[in-house]
Amino acid sequence: MTNEFINFIKMTRESWKLLHQKSRPLLTEDELETIKSLNDNINITDVIEVYLPLLNLIQIYKINQENLSFSKSLFLKKDAHYRPFIIGISGSVAVGKSTTSRLLQLLLSRTFKSSKVELVTTDGFLYPNDYLTEHGILNRKGFPESYNMELLLNFLDAMKNGVTTEVPVYSHETYDILSDTKQTIESPDFLIVEGINVFQNQQNDRLYMNDYFDFSIYIDADSKHIENWYIERFESILDLAKDDETSFYTEYAAMPRDEAVAFAKEVWKTINLVNLENYIEPTRNRAQIILHKASDHKIDEIFIKK
C-alpha cells in the first residue's frame, strides 16, 4: 500500500463481495440501463458484488448517526433534531460519479422503502456562463473559482436544519445554468451530493463541505484510463448531437471527427487533467471509502478509511 492510502484498509473485489451474502440485486438489468451514464460499463453482477456490500456499510453509518444524534440529545437535554443522512460522492470528470449516485439513490429507496432519497449535483452551483465570461474564467469551468461555494454551503446548512430549499439546475445540453428551473429539496431522509468538488472548499477555510457529510465516496482510476473514457463519452455525445441543434455540442458534431477528437484531447490535457491533479485528486483521502476502477471501468479495489 502506498503512503497516499496509509489511513485506509485495502480490499480486493473478491474479498469485498463476500461481505454481502444475498444475491438479490434490488433492480433489473433494464432499470440499470436507464440510470447508467454514456459508456459506463456496469452490470447486475457489479451491483451484487460491489454496491450491495457498500449499501451494508452505509447502513452501519446510518445507524451510528441515529444513535449519536439520540445520545447527544440526551446529553444536551434537548429534543433530537431531525436531519437527513448526507452522502458526498466525488471523483474526476468521466469517472462514473453520476452512475454511482443514481444507482445508490435507487438502491437506498428500495432498501428503505418509506424513505425519501434525493440527489443533487454540484453542477447546479456553477456560476452561469454569463458570469464566467464576464470574469474571464469560462475556460476554468469546473475549477474551484467557477462555483458559488457560499450558495452550496448555505444549501447544505439548510438541509442539516431541515429547511426546504430550492437549488439551481444545470443543463448538460446547453452547458449552462437553467435560469427558469429550480430543484426543490424538502425533508429528505437521504441526500446524495455528487460532484467533482464535494470535498473541496475554496471560500471559507474554517468550513468544509465534508463537515456536512455522514458518509463519503471517491471514485478513483488512473488518469490515462479516465482520459480514454472522457474521449469515448465525447464521441458518444457527438453522435447524439448530430441532429440536435439545441445541443452545446452541435458545432463539434459538424466538425471532421479527427479534429473534434483532437479538440477533446486538448481540453482534457489543459483543463480536466489539470483540475484533477491540482484540485480533485488531492481531496481523495477525505472520503470514507475509495472505489478504484480498472481500465475496463470495473471496480477492482476498495479502500475503507480506518
Side-chain angles (χ1 to χ4, degrees), residues 76-95:
L76 297 171
K77 297 181 173 57
K78 293 184 177 182
D79 291 336
H81 174 66
Y82 171 82
R83 62 182 181 85
F85 185 86
I86 302 181
I87 301 171
I89 300 180
S90 185
S92 171
V93 168
V95 80

Side-chain angles (χ1 to χ4, degrees), residues 225-267:
H225 300 330
I226 304 175
E227 179 183 6
N228 292 335
W229 303 335
Y230 175 78
I231 300 302
E232 289 171 1
R233 188 181 71 175
F234 179 78
E235 292 202 70
S236 296
I237 293 173
L238 294 190
D239 292 337
L240 295 173
K242 284 188 297 187
D243 301 317
D244 183 4
E245 295 182 357
T246 65
S247 172
F248 171 83
Y249 293 90
T250 301
E251 64 174 297
Y252 303 106
M255 295 169 60
R257 182 54 62 97
D258 59 339
E259 292 182 17
V261 169
F263 166 78
K265 287 182 176 180
E266 185 65 17
V267 169

